[in-house]
């Protein structure tokens, strides 16, 4: 099996749990995912099956979209609902102040990762150091927020829930945005709920649940859920003839076809089968990532 499954991960399991599920359903050890979702988050989790795992870098680094609920009036040690959570004795902001603060996150800015994250520093993982009572001073990194729209505001005793639609680049921590929003408003804030609605070119409207995959596997129809990896690679396409295809999959550099785009390209044979990713430069095509050739070919 080779391709990508657009999985709708539920709240609770880890991304690694979902990899384990697909290993069991496909009887394939070579399973990965493109972009981790925390256990408390749900939504689009691209599952890479078979040799598609070779292209995780290309799928992980794209734009993403989330629907999130930021709870104002409380702080969390983990910046999310996992806590521990403490109330902040400060006035809650007005609707207008919240709208103005949200607008300030759009664009490129430096962001400090959560103390409880997978970031490493000095050979130590941040979340392990934080649990040991020795949180790391993580360096800020530039992130880009393409759009941030307010969907709803709900007020209750001592809190305001702010539901947002967020479109952002790779490496953006929504937990950090929630924390920083609360800091800017002076009332504290944390990420109360998160659902990823787009990743790797896949949308939540076409995602399938674990239960649906289980049922498809029982019917012997799991392959229907596989999306060709080439459809999701955000690269120009290049088609080559049979002799050039043979040289490409066997690692040989060769003259690039006339009119080939310069840079990284996804390479197909004349039958439309993906061969891998190549680098076209100065009239030459070099293999970069290659799918194993068919032994029968």
């Amino acid at each position: 099996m080779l391709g990508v499954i657009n999985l709708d991960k539920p709240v609770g399991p880890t991304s690694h749990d979902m990899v384990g599920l697909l290993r069991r359903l496909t009887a394939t050890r070579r399973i990965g995912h493109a972009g981790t979702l925390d256990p408390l988050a749900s939504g689009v989790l691209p599952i890479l099956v078979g040799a598609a795992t070779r292209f995780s870098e290309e799928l992980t680094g794209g734009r993403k979209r989330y629907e999130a609920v930021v709870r104002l009036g409380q702080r969390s040690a983990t910046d999310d609902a996992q806590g521990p959570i403490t109330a902040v004795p400060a006035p809650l902001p007005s609707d207008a102040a919240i709208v103005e603060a949200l607008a300030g996150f759009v664009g490129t800015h430096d962001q400090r990762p959560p103390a409880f994250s997978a970031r490493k520093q000095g050979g130590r993982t941040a979340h392990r150091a934080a649990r040991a009572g020795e949180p790391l001073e993580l360096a800020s990194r530039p992130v880009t927020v393409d759009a941030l729209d307010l969907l709803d505001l709900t007020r209750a005793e001592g809190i305001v829930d702010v539901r947002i639609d967020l479109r952002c680049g790779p490496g953006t921590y929504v937990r950090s945005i929630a924390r920083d929003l609360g800091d800017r408003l002076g009332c504290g804030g944390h990420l109360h709920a998160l659902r990823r609605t787009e990743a790797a070119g896949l949308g939540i409207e076409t995602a399938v649940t674990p239960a649906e995959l289980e049922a498809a596997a029982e019917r012997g129809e799991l392959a229907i859920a596989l999306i060709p990896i080439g459809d999701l690679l955000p690269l120009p396409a290049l088609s080559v003839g049979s002799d050039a295809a043979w040289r490409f999959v066997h690692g040989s550099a060769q003259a690039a076809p006339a009119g080939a785009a310069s840079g990284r390209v996804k390479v197909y044979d004349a039958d439309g089968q993906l061969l891998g990713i190549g680098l076209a430069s100065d009239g030459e095509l070099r293999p970069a990532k290659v799918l194993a050739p068919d032994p029968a070919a």
Side-chain angles (χ1 to χ4, degrees), residues 45-197:
L45 180 65
I47 298 290
L48 313 181
V49 180
T53 54
R54 296 213 61 199
F55 306 100
S56 60
E57 180 183 359
E58 285 75 20
L59 298 187
T60 302
R63 321 307 290 180
K64 296 177 176 64
R65 187 171 185 174
Y66 300 90
E67 186 172 311
V69 176
V70 178
R71 176 158 290 180
L72 300 176
Q74 299 175 339
R75 285 196 177 93
S76 168
T78 57
D79 296 328
D80 63 13
Q82 194 168 11
I85 295 170
T86 57
V88 177
L92 292 173
S94 66
D95 292 2
I98 294 171
V99 171
E100 181 180 359
L102 287 172
F105 286 95
V106 178
T108 299
H109 61 279
D110 287 339
Q111 182 186 74
R112 177 169 55 87
F116 288 80
S117 69
R119 287 283 168 85
K120 290 188 176 181
Q121 187 168 289
R124 303 184 70 193
T125 304
H127 67 82
R128 290 176 181 165
R131 289 191 177 94
E134 302 171 352
L136 304 178
E137 290 293 331
L138 297 172
S140 297
R141 295 188 181 184
V143 299
T144 299
V145 173
D146 302 311
L148 199 165
D149 298 317
L150 176 63
L151 300 178
D152 186 44
L153 282 171
T154 304
R155 293 181 178 270
E157 183 64 32
I159 61 169
V160 182
D161 281 345
V162 183
R163 188 162 63 92
I164 58 174
D165 178 18
L166 171 70
R167 303 179 198 188
C168 59
T172 305
Y173 281 98
V174 187
R175 282 184 287 157
S176 291
I177 291 177
R179 176 201 65 211
D180 294 345
L181 176 64
D183 288 346
R184 290 185 185 186
L185 292 167
C187 62
H190 70 274
L191 182 63
H192 181 65
L194 182 67
R195 183 160 176 77
R196 187 156 65 192
T197 55

